[in-house]
Amino acid sequence: MQNVTAHASEGINLTCGMSGNHGFIFTLVPVVYGFNFVIGVVGNSMVVAVIYRYMKLKTVANVFVLNLAISDLTFLITLPMWATFTATGYYWPFGSFLCKACAGLVIFNLYTSIFFLTALSVDRCLAIVQPVRSRRYRTAGYARVSCVLVWLVAFALSVPTALTREVYIITNETTVCGVLHSKDALRPKNLLLAISLMKSLLGFLVPFLIIVSCYCLIGRALLRSRHIQRSARPREDEVLRMLAAAVLAFFLCWAPHQVVHFLQVLHQLKVLADCSVLELIDTAMPFTICVAYFNSCVNPLVYGFVGANFRRNLLRLLCCAQRGVPVAHPSISSKMSALSFRASEALSLTAKGKTSSADGQ
């Protein structure tokens, strides 16, 4: 949006007015945000509980999936504020700090999601294409180090977005959380353009090319190994199907937003300078954001429908919760079952000893 700055007391005059200012947006979008928040928080909390309780953190895939769920949860806590912002006609009542933090968390979730999916794709590729060589590197320890690097890089990439967001007072007394595009300030304009290009390249295009390359290598390796019995790798196939579904869901959720965001970049470059084009961009943007935010609650559905192992453990968790039985840690429950087996074995041996002694008498 192209803005002209006035004095602070007068507010800001907008060259193209309040683009995308439609009543149905203020009604529909908050409802979708609320749906995403409820489904996403419940679903990702179950993912965290199932992996921690039953599936453990001894495999690379589980480490990355757990971090992906935590990333989604950190973003979902901002949705009630975005819903309020939209429901009140783009009025931001939460102050400057939360404006910056919420905007930064949106981009932070974008980067962490695509980076974790990329790391999962590379892991599957190494497991199938180079199973022997990659075994020493595909450990839970290396996966945890990779997760720390992903969190740090994603945080560094999201900081500029947080810093450029601010609370502005528009001339119609509306307080918005947004970005000011000034005609005169060249450095902020270049910074905003760099942030937009990073979001498109590092947050979507480059990782997606890496993921597609990984799947091409995986497909070629699987075609070469047709003679190998599929029963020998059921776990590998399940993880691969689950990852493919998660990557497809990410692409379908974020691609519309990236297209509209690219049009917004063209408007920043003055390639598209008409106010009618800006009106179209600002009207479509809230709906593409809704679809993009839906990605944070679709991953648990993917795990439930595609991952048979995850589905079994989820049913175990739900059954224990309904009965009110405390869910023991897997290591504790395995030790208890081993002790009970040894105790029953000892009792059977004792009973056999008594029977044999009675027969001897």
Side-chain angles (χ1 to χ4, degrees):
M1 185 180 295
Q2 189 72 30
N3 296 330
V4 180
T5 306
H7 296 291
S9 59
E10 299 175 1
I12 298 171
N13 293 313
L14 303 180
T15 304
C16 290
M18 283 290 287
S19 299
N21 193 349
H22 302 290
F24 65 91
I25 292 179
F26 304 144
T27 304
L28 180 60
V29 171
V31 174
V32 177
Y33 283 175
F35 174 81
N36 288 353
F37 174 77
V38 173
I39 301 298
V41 169
V42 173
N44 285 286
S45 298
M46 286 184 175
V47 171
V48 173
V50 166
I51 293 178
Y52 179 77
R53 295 281 187 178
Y54 297 113
M55 301 176 72
K56 304 181 183 180
L57 292 176
K58 294 184 178 179
T59 64
V60 175
N62 287 347
V63 172
F64 285 135
V65 169
L66 178 67
N67 280 268
L68 180 59
I70 294 173
S71 168
D72 288 336
L73 285 172
T74 57
F75 156 71
L76 287 166
I77 61 175
T78 69
L79 277 185
M81 284 177 278
W82 290 122
T84 303
F85 174 59
T86 310
T88 54
Y90 297 138
Y91 173 76
W92 184 264
F94 303 108
S96 177
F97 174 77
L98 286 179
C99 170
K100 294 177 179 294
C102 291
L105 280 174
V106 172
I107 303 301
F108 181 73
N109 175 254
L110 166 66
Y111 285 123
T112 52
S113 295
I114 191 63
F115 288 167
F116 283 131
L117 290 174
T118 305
L120 275 164
S121 301
V122 172
D123 171 69
R124 290 299 92 195
C125 182
L126 292 175
I128 295 174
V129 177
Q130 297 289 343
V132 179
R133 282 187 190 176
S134 64
R135 188 172 298 173
R136 58 180 296 188
Y137 302 107
R138 293 180 52 255
T139 62
Y142 279 107
R144 292 189 182 97
V145 173
S146 301
C147 289
V148 172
L149 292 176
V150 167
W151 288 105
L152 292 176
V153 172
F155 178 78
L157 292 174
S158 61
V159 166
T161 297
L163 294 179
T164 54
R165 285 283 180 146
E166 191 52 81
V167 175
Y168 298 104
I169 301 175
I170 310 301
T171 50
N172 59 0
E173 299 181 356
T174 299
T175 302
V176 300
C177 172
V179 181
L180 180 64
H181 298 271
S182 178
K183 284 183 177 180
D184 304 321
L186 182 60
R187 182 178 294 179
K189 182 179 178 181
N190 292 335
L191 176 62
L192 293 174
L193 181 60
I195 292 173
S196 298
L197 291 176
M198 278 196 309
K199 179 181 174 181
S200 298
L201 294 176
L202 298 181
F204 190 78
L205 186 58
V206 173
F208 210 77
L209 289 176
I210 296 174
I211 292 172
V212 170
S213 301
C214 287
Y215 273 94
C216 290
L217 294 174
I218 290 171
R220 188 176 66 175
L222 291 178
L223 289 174
R224 287 179 177 177
S225 61
R226 280 182 176 178
H227 61 280
I228 300 177
Q229 293 183 357
R230 293 185 63 84
S231 59
R233 56 173 195 275
R235 175 62 182 156
E236 296 291 330
D237 288 345
E238 180 183 322
V239 175
L240 189 60
R241 287 195 304 269
M242 193 166 63
L243 176 59
V247 171
L248 180 62
F250 182 89
F251 177 79
L252 293 177
C253 289
W254 278 99
H257 175 70
Q258 290 289 350
V259 171
V260 177
H261 177 259
F262 180 71
L263 294 177
Q264 197 174 49
V265 172
L266 293 179
H267 185 269
Q268 287 180 242
L269 293 172
K270 301 290 183 64
V271 177
L272 302 174
D274 189 36
C275 282
S276 60
V277 176
L278 182 60
E279 172 73 20
L280 178 63
I281 293 172
D282 286 349
T283 302
M285 185 65 77
F287 297 103
T288 61
I289 290 175
C290 284
V291 177
Y293 289 177
F294 183 68
N295 181 248
S296 295
C297 60
V298 80
N299 285 331
L301 302 177
V302 168
Y303 306 147
F305 282 108
V306 181
N309 188 33
F310 176 82
R311 189 163 57 247
R312 283 193 301 269
N313 289 316
L314 178 60
L315 292 175
R316 288 173 63 190
L317 180 70
L318 294 177
C319 289
C320 291
Q322 288 176 357
R323 294 172 185 171
V325 179
V327 183
H329 194 274
S331 59
I332 298 175
S333 58
S334 60
K335 290 177 182 177
M336 290 178 65
S337 61
L339 288 172
S340 62
F341 174 74
R342 290 173 185 172
S344 61
E345 191 178 31
L347 287 173
S348 63
L349 290 174
T350 304
K352 287 181 180 178
K354 289 181 179 179
T355 304
S356 62
S357 62
D359 291 340
Q361 292 175 356

